[in-house]
Amino acid sequence: MGEQTQVQAKPETQTPPQPQPNSDSTLVSNSPVDLPPNPSNPSKIPIRPQKIRKLSSLPSSKTPQITASSATPASTKSRRKSTPKSSSRVLPQIIKPLSADGEIDNALLHLRSADPLLGSLIDTLPVPQFESHNSPFLALSKSILYQQLAYKAGTSIYTRFVSLCGGEDAVCPDIVLSLSAQQLKQIGVSGRKASYLYDLANKYKNGILCDDALVKMDDKSLFTMLSMVKGIGSWSVHMFMIFSLHWPDVLPVSDLGVRKGVQLLYGLEELPRPSQMEQLCEKWRPYRSAGAWYMWRFVEGKGTPTTAAAAIDAGNVQPLQQIQTGQETQQHQLQLLEPINGIGNLGYLTIFRLK
């Protein structure tokens, strides 16, 4: 009996370490390869999610930033490129002088359609012609010589001046500067006008002015440059633009003849101010020079050449002093807007023949 109990006890002691549990333990030890990491390894838990988050967040965050930043410059570039193209189509304008072939016909066609009242007036008056082709220096010298003179007196002095210079083609800055004040005085040129001629010639000789540059200047530059010459003011510049350069769109708002013509044309109670002239004659663009020409003719036809610039007589433009005296002259002198030279430029139109 005692031996049997010992034999039975031995198997009982051997049974606790059973082989099956050992085989199961091997399976359990291999399972972490496929299963999520064991909580006993905390280092593997934050690493994988952080890497996944970084990889997933980078594309999503960078993608909209790239598209937004790349879209904005593209749109601005396209806008910048499109703006000059549209403006470049508007800026270039071909301005032909009224002396060019067909420009008078174009001017009359436009004025008739734009202003019926002026169109009716055009039908009753001759067609304007702009045929003066004198050089700018000669034209400006003429304007100085004719100031405040009757047509006949101005023509007489101008003829002697041209003869003294050796002919119209010979009139140039060097020749004018070679003439003494005494020589000019002998042909009827006053000392003040002589100083004006010398100032004009000196500005040409010093390179401040030249014929080629004057022809190519815009209106603002032309006003600035010519106003530096003694004896030349804004009204004279307007007349120079119309009758020497033949610019088509010049409105001499300070000329009383043009203002009086506008008053008569539209039946105004009062003489329009220069600021009102711009508004009233806006429809004449781009041929306001031709419109101004008809205003001078219109005033002449009414028999009231009340202009501080000139009156038209038998195709020639006559200065104010030849036709007006007393209170009427004083009134027009007060209304003349020539801020630099006062009434020093009266008679400029006596140079030109209006046909």
Side-chain angles (χ1 to χ4, degrees):
M1 296 292 294
E3 292 177 358
Q4 292 178 352
T5 55
Q6 289 177 357
V7 172
Q8 293 176 353
K10 287 178 181 179
E12 290 178 358
T13 55
Q14 293 176 357
T15 53
Q18 295 177 356
Q20 292 177 355
N22 291 334
S23 62
D24 295 338
S25 63
T26 57
L27 294 174
V28 172
S29 62
N30 294 329
S31 63
V33 177
D34 299 331
L35 296 176
N38 195 332
S40 64
N41 289 330
S43 60
K44 294 183 180 180
I45 295 174
I47 293 174
R48 288 182 182 177
Q50 287 178 356
K51 290 181 179 180
I52 293 172
R53 287 175 185 173
K54 289 181 180 179
L55 293 174
S56 61
S57 62
L58 284 174
S60 61
S61 62
K62 288 183 179 180
T63 302
Q65 292 177 357
I66 293 172
T67 54
S69 62
S70 60
T72 303
S75 61
T76 54
K77 287 181 180 179
S78 62
R79 290 176 183 175
R80 290 174 183 175
K81 289 180 180 180
S82 60
T83 303
K85 289 181 181 179
S86 60
S87 61
S88 62
R89 294 175 184 174
V90 178
L91 289 178
Q93 294 181 356
I94 300 175
I95 301 176
K96 295 182 180 180
L98 289 174
S99 55
D101 293 338
E103 277 304 294
I104 291 295
D105 295 335
N106 293 335
L108 299 186
L109 181 64
H110 170 76
L111 293 176
R112 284 192 178 98
S113 61
D115 191 344
L117 291 176
L118 182 56
S120 301
L121 179 63
I122 290 174
D123 295 335
T124 62
L125 294 174
V127 176
Q129 296 182 14
F130 297 84
E131 298 178 349
S132 174
H133 298 287
N134 293 329
S135 67
F137 179 79
L138 179 59
L140 293 171
S141 300
K142 260 186 173 182
S143 70
I144 293 174
L145 291 173
Y146 272 86
Q147 288 174 8
Q148 298 180 338
L149 293 177
Y151 176 74
K152 292 182 180 180
T155 302
S156 177
I157 293 176
Y158 174 72
T159 302
R160 292 195 293 266
F161 170 77
V162 169
S163 177
L164 187 62
C165 293
E168 283 190 338
D169 295 337
V171 177
C172 64
D174 290 335
I175 294 296
V176 172
L177 291 175
S178 67
L179 302 177
S180 64
Q182 184 62 29
Q183 287 177 299
L184 293 175
K185 185 177 180 180
Q186 290 176 354
I187 63 173
V189 180
S190 65
R192 177 175 294 181
K193 287 186 179 181
S195 67
Y196 296 165
L197 290 173
Y198 291 149
D199 186 60
L200 175 65
N202 278 317
K203 284 182 169 56
Y204 264 82
K205 187 174 182 179
N206 295 334
I208 299 175
L209 298 176
C210 69
D211 287 349
D212 292 338
L214 288 176
V215 173
K216 297 175 182 178
M217 285 182 185
D218 56 20
D219 54 351
K220 292 183 179 179
S221 301
L222 199 61
F223 266 103
T224 301
M225 299 305 294
L226 291 183
S227 296
M228 293 191 301
V229 180
K230 295 179 181 179
I232 296 179
S234 60
W235 181 86
S236 295
V237 177
H238 277 143
M239 299 300 105
F240 176 74
M241 290 176 176
I242 295 175
F243 293 104
S244 292
L245 303 181
H246 306 156
W247 283 10
D249 194 33
V250 180
L251 181 65
V253 295
S254 63
D255 184 89
L256 285 179
V258 179
R259 294 168 65 192
K260 184 64 178 179
V262 171
Q263 180 187 12
L264 296 173
L265 182 66
Y266 297 119
L268 304 177
E269 295 181 358
E270 298 180 355
L271 197 68
R273 297 187 298 272
S275 59
Q276 294 174 322
M277 290 285 293
E278 292 284 352
Q279 298 176 356
L280 292 170
C281 303
E282 178 67 23
K283 62 177 73 71
W284 297 353
R285 286 182 182 271
Y287 294 106
R288 293 182 298 175
S289 298
W293 189 94
Y294 276 105
M295 292 302 98
W296 284 311
R297 283 294 195 186
F298 186 32
V299 170
E300 175 205 12
K302 289 291 183 179
T304 55
T306 53
T307 169
I312 304 171
D313 180 22
N316 296 322
V317 181
Q318 304 297 330
L320 174 68
Q321 291 89 330
Q322 190 175 0
I323 59 172
Q324 291 175 334
T325 56
Q327 295 180 353
E328 198 172 11
T329 302
Q330 183 179 2
Q331 180 183 2
H332 294 148
Q333 289 177 353
L334 293 174
Q335 290 178 338
L336 178 62
L337 302 178
E338 189 69 67
I340 299 177
N341 300 308
I343 59 172
N345 291 308
L346 299 181
Y348 183 90
L349 285 178
T350 58
I351 305 169
F352 306 100
R353 297 181 62 87
L354 303 182
K355 298 180 181 179

